[in-house]
Amino acid sequence: MKFASTSNYVADAALAVAVNAAVTLQRPLLVKGEPGTGKTELARQVAKALDMPFMEWNIKSTTKAQQGLYEYDAVSRLRDSQLGEARVHDVSNYIRKGKLWQAFTAPGRVVLLIDEIDKADIEFPNDLLQELDRMEFHVYETGETIRAQHRPVVIITSNNEKDLPDAFLRRCFFHFIRFPDPENLAAIVRMHYPGIKEQLLATALSQFFEIRETPGLKKKPSTSEVLDWLKLILAEDLSPEDLRRDGKDALPRLHGALLKNEQDVQLFERLAFMARGQR
């Protein structure tokens, strides 16, 4: 099966090619792009399209690569030995399987999402090089080697918060999700809100792209944020006329869904003040 757009996800041709190329090459797919452009949702939709189970490993700043393989609970084993528990003689009772272990030993092929890998320590990607390349790892406590029964489809996301090592990048197929153009963004909106009126959609997206392209904006609103904004607009039953701004108020209606820091709010307030001064 080949991946393409689904009933819940609009994938352009370049993204579909990237997914299918990574699957064919049996390489991890490294996906970068602005936050909120659908990188995480992509992995879920790939699993749905390819009819595979979905597993997710959310990376935090404190996450270690070893946690994706397994963790040995030595403290619990020591406590059980002091209590005279019989299970203490089998070290496997104290091994907690990580997401990679679960994906490697699943009964069929799965889609494994390693989400926001750039949040972790810089050594994190390097620590997974051999495991992702050879699809196996050694469990020192039990002496066994865990090998992938079915090579998982690995999708790795990054928000570009830090550079990833070259050795890691060489082992991945890379794709950057560009922000949707007006036509593709309109298609995404119609997918989520099929009953939206075309005039309201055109006015809202025109205003949205004006906001994104405003010079000096600290954080550009994302796809997920425009969807939230339109959900509020529809809930409030606003008309295209309600959305239009004038010199008195440069801030968009319900701007809290689009502008997420005080610097950007103040920027639009200054623009309104300057517009009034020029009249």
Side-chain angles (χ1 to χ4, degrees):
M1 295 180 65
K2 295 287 187 180
F3 173 74
S5 294
T6 69
S7 58
N8 297 312
Y9 191 90
V10 176
D12 61 25
L15 178 56
V17 167
V19 172
N20 292 317
V23 173
T24 300
L25 293 173
Q26 296 188 335
R27 294 276 189 181
L29 173 63
L30 174 61
V31 183
K32 291 186 178 182
E34 292 181 30
T37 49
K39 300 186 297 296
T40 300
E41 184 60 25
L42 169 67
R44 295 191 180 96
Q45 295 302 320
V46 169
K48 179 180 178 182
L50 302 182
D51 195 24
M52 295 180 187
F54 175 70
M55 293 185 180
E56 184 173 1
W57 184 15
N58 292 301
I59 307 303
K60 301 178 182 178
S61 60
T62 56
T63 303
K64 302 298 181 185
Q66 181 65 31
Q67 293 172 308
L69 308 179
Y70 69 92
E71 291 183 277
Y72 170 54
D73 191 353
V75 174
S76 293
R77 193 181 187 195
L78 175 61
R79 184 185 64 242
D80 287 349
S81 68
Q82 294 170 339
L83 296 174
E85 296 282 351
R87 67 195 301 267
V88 76
H89 300 293
D90 186 356
V91 68
S92 64
N93 290 323
Y94 303 93
I95 300 291
R96 288 199 293 264
K97 299 177 182 179
K99 292 294 184 180
L100 280 173
W101 186 326
Q102 295 172 39
F104 284 5
T105 57
R109 204 173 184 192
V110 305
V111 173
L112 173 63
L113 169 64
I114 303 177
D115 202 22
E116 298 188 333
I117 194 172
D118 52 324
K119 280 187 176 180
D121 183 86
I122 188 62
E123 291 303 322
F124 180 93
N126 281 333
D127 291 341
L128 288 177
L129 284 179
Q130 297 301 323
E131 289 77 10
L132 290 176
D133 198 25
R134 298 180 181 177
M135 286 288 153
E136 66 177 37
F137 62 89
H138 187 69
V139 183
Y140 297 98
E141 289 77 7
T142 64
E144 62 183 323
T145 297
I146 305 300
R147 294 184 177 88
Q149 299 177 17
H150 307 277
R151 193 178 186 100
V153 176
V154 180
I155 297 179
I156 303 169
T157 70
S158 169
N159 287 328
N160 242 357
E161 292 183 8
K162 60 171 69 81
D163 292 333
L164 299 174
D166 289 345
F168 180 80
L169 295 175
R170 283 199 301 271
R171 288 165 168 81
C172 297
F173 191 94
F174 172 75
H175 183 75
F176 183 85
I177 297 182
R178 300 187 182 279
F179 194 83
D181 59 26
E183 183 179 344
N184 282 333
L185 187 56
I188 292 170
V189 172
R190 292 188 193 101
M191 179 178 289
H192 285 82
Y193 309 116
I196 192 169
K197 295 178 180 178
E198 287 300 314
Q199 187 178 358
L200 177 63
L201 175 60
T203 302
L205 291 189
S206 175
Q207 188 172 129
F208 172 74
F209 278 101
E210 285 179 8
I211 293 168
R212 268 188 61 89
E213 293 163 9
T214 299
L217 200 65
K218 184 177 181 181
K219 181 195 175 304
K220 294 183 178 182
S222 67
T223 307
S224 62
E225 287 161 339
V226 74
L227 291 174
D228 287 344
W229 185 51
L230 283 164
K231 183 176 182 179
L232 293 173
I233 288 171
L234 293 171
E236 295 288 332
D237 196 23
L238 299 181
S239 68
E241 291 71 25
D242 293 326
L243 298 183
R244 294 195 175 95
R245 297 176 291 161
D246 55 32
K248 295 180 181 179
D249 187 7
L251 284 169
R253 294 287 294 268
L254 304 164
H255 64 269
L258 299 175
L259 306 176
K260 298 300 178 71
N261 58 68
E262 63 276 15
Q263 294 96 321
D264 288 341
V265 173
Q266 290 168 2
L267 170 64
F268 279 89
E269 290 174 341
R270 288 197 300 272
L271 292 174
F273 178 77
M274 292 169 61
R276 289 194 296 268
Q278 293 172 358
R279 291 192 171 188

